Amino acid sequence: MTLEFQSEDSVIPLLQEIIHRDTYLASANYLLGKILLKKQDATGIKYIEMAIEQDSSIVIGGCQMICNFLKNQGKNNEAKSYQERADNHSKLILKSQQERSNLKIDDKLKTHNISDIEVDKLRQQLSHYPQIITAYLVQKICNIFLKNHFMF
């Protein structure tokens, strides 16, 4: 709300205090980094990097933001490395989606971790299809972005 109703300058100390209390808040690091880069302050790179470490969903946007900043500073070689990083992460996301889009005979599976309530909802949905006699709910162990698994 401070950012919305006051100014970026007034939110900087608040974000710094939040980050001082908890270094691992991706959103606070990202916002502070974004504001600092917008103000042509290179210390914003450090905060964007911290945010990227905590939240892989912002790798591409964060790298592009840093890349643009560095290009504006005339640091094209450094900017190129961030653009390559964003491109590589984009390719990794595509590979991850491909890995999760199908099930192969040699895929490793494990017991799902869905709540009983969700399993009951699924059971009710499947009960409308008399041709389904048995259904198995498992979790595919993925190699790309290991934190994410895909349910079948």
Side-chain angles (χ1 to χ4, degrees), residues 31-140:
L31 182 57
L32 181 56
K34 181 178 176 179
I35 292 169
L36 292 173
L37 292 180
K38 186 176 175 185
K39 296 173 86 43
Q40 302 304 306
D41 183 342
T43 58
I45 294 172
K46 172 182 84 168
Y47 292 103
I48 299 291
E49 286 284 0
M50 287 289 292
I52 287 171
E53 283 180 32
Q54 281 117 44
D55 184 352
S56 64
S57 72
I58 58 175
V59 171
I60 295 170
C63 285
Q64 289 174 339
M65 191 182 314
I66 294 170
C67 177
N68 291 335
F69 170 80
L70 292 170
K71 281 182 182 177
N72 290 336
Q73 299 290 311
K75 299 178 180 180
N76 292 326
N77 286 339
E78 289 179 59
K80 184 179 178 185
S81 71
Y82 279 96
Q83 185 59 54
E84 288 172 357
R85 187 173 170 191
D87 293 343
N88 289 337
H89 193 76
S90 180
K91 290 174 187 173
L92 193 60
I93 288 171
L94 287 174
K95 284 183 181 180
S96 170
Q97 290 169 342
Q98 290 170 348
E99 179 183 44
R100 286 155 175 74
S101 68
N102 60 57
L103 184 61
K104 296 182 219 150
I105 193 79
D106 60 342
D107 283 337
K108 291 184 173 46
L109 306 173
K110 69 178 193 175
T111 305
H112 69 83
N113 61 356
I114 295 177
S115 71
D116 291 341
I117 294 168
E118 293 299 315
V119 171
D120 285 339
K121 287 180 186 177
L122 181 59
R123 188 177 288 124
Q124 288 175 345
Q125 290 173 353
L126 292 175
S127 70
H128 298 293
Y129 301 92
Q131 65 272 31
I132 297 177
I133 299 168
T134 304
Y136 298 93
L137 183 60
V138 294
Q139 189 169 353
K140 178 179 177 177

